[in-house]
């Protein structure tokens, strides 16, 4: 019986999440004026405090040539810089510039403002339940239990 309910919930989530994403997009990504893939790369680099290209491929689940193209565009626009690894010159590390840091901050502020708008329309008990569920899901994604 539980497996049928899980299937029903999963089906409903498969409809709800894309709708949420579409409604968040104009408030979160559009003001940034960069493709979402570039913004996500910047956020990933920021969360790691800098990283290797290979780490970014794994983090974003995309191929090395695709990540290289993203980084080339971000470097051209002065959001990131490449730094040769001191121990292994075959390795390239990526870090954010001041401009990149500012963009990530703006992106996170956009997200925060939109969530404030949404949360202010929910009962406080629902707000608390939502954050607990999201924390649990995010932890599962990051520690590999989901």
């Amino acid at each position: 019986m539980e497996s049928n309910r899980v299937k029903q919930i999963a089906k409903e989530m498969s409809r709800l999440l894309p709708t949420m994403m579409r409604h968040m997009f104009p408030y979160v990504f559009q003001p940034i004026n960069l493709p979402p893939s570039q913004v996500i790369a910047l956020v990933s680099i920021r969360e790691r405090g800098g990283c290797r290209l290979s780490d970014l491929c794994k983090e974003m689940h995309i191929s090395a040539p695709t990540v290289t193209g993203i980084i080339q565009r971000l470097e051209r626009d002065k959001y990131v810089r490449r730094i040769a690894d001191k121990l292994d010159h075959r390795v390239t590390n990526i870090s954010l510039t001041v401009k990149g840091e500012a963009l990530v901050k703006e992106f996170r502020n956009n997200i925060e403002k939109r969530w404030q708008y949404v949360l202010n329309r929910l009962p406080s008990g629902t707000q608390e339940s939502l954050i607990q569920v999201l924390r649990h899901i995010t932890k599962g994604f990051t520690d590999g239990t989901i």
Side-chain angles (χ1 to χ4, degrees), residues 41-43 45-46 50 79-81 94-98 100-101 104:
L42 290 170
V43 170
I45 294 164
R46 176 66 183 95
Y79 291 106
V80 299
R81 65 176 146 298
I94 308 299
S95 65
L96 296 184
T97 62
V98 171
E101 290 279 355
V104 170

Side-chain angles (χ1 to χ4, degrees), residues 63-106:
S63 70
T66 302
V67 168
T68 299
I70 290 169
I71 294 302
Q72 285 172 341
R73 289 183 288 283
L74 289 170
E75 186 177 34
R76 178 196 67 212
D77 295 336
K78 311 250 187 280
Y79 291 106
V80 299
R81 65 176 146 298
R82 296 176 195 240
I83 303 165
D85 191 282
K86 293 175 184 173
L87 301 175
D88 187 347
H89 294 291
R90 298 170 297 173
V91 173
T92 301
N93 294 304
I94 308 299
S95 65
L96 296 184
T97 62
V98 171
K99 185 178 178 181
E101 290 279 355
L103 188 130
V104 170
K105 184 177 180 180
E106 178 184 353

Side-chain angles (χ1 to χ4, degrees), residues 4-108:
N4 280 339
R5 183 62 184 141
V6 167
K7 286 179 184 179
Q8 290 172 339
I9 292 169
K11 187 173 188 170
E12 187 171 356
M13 288 179 73
S14 74
R15 288 191 299 263
L16 293 173
L17 287 175
T19 300
M20 285 176 57
M21 291 167 60
R22 278 193 316 275
H23 288 277
M24 291 291 271
F25 185 89
Y27 301 96
V28 174
F29 283 102
Q30 208 165 8
I32 300 293
N33 204 26
L34 278 179
S37 60
Q38 290 182 24
V39 176
I40 298 304
L42 290 170
V43 170
S44 295
I45 294 164
R46 176 66 183 95
E47 287 174 353
R48 293 170 162 272
C51 64
R52 296 176 171 191
L53 280 172
S54 59
D55 294 333
L56 200 52
C57 293
K58 291 175 190 167
E59 176 83 16
M60 295 180 68
H61 305 280
I62 55 178
S63 70
T66 302
V67 168
T68 299
I70 290 169
I71 294 302
Q72 285 172 341
R73 289 183 288 283
L74 289 170
E75 186 177 34
R76 178 196 67 212
D77 295 336
K78 311 250 187 280
Y79 291 106
V80 299
R81 65 176 146 298
R82 296 176 195 240
I83 303 165
D85 191 282
K86 293 175 184 173
L87 301 175
D88 187 347
H89 294 291
R90 298 170 297 173
V91 173
T92 301
N93 294 304
I94 308 299
S95 65
L96 296 184
T97 62
V98 171
K99 185 178 178 181
E101 290 279 355
L103 188 130
V104 170
K105 184 177 180 180
E106 178 184 353
F107 177 68
R108 287 189 171 154

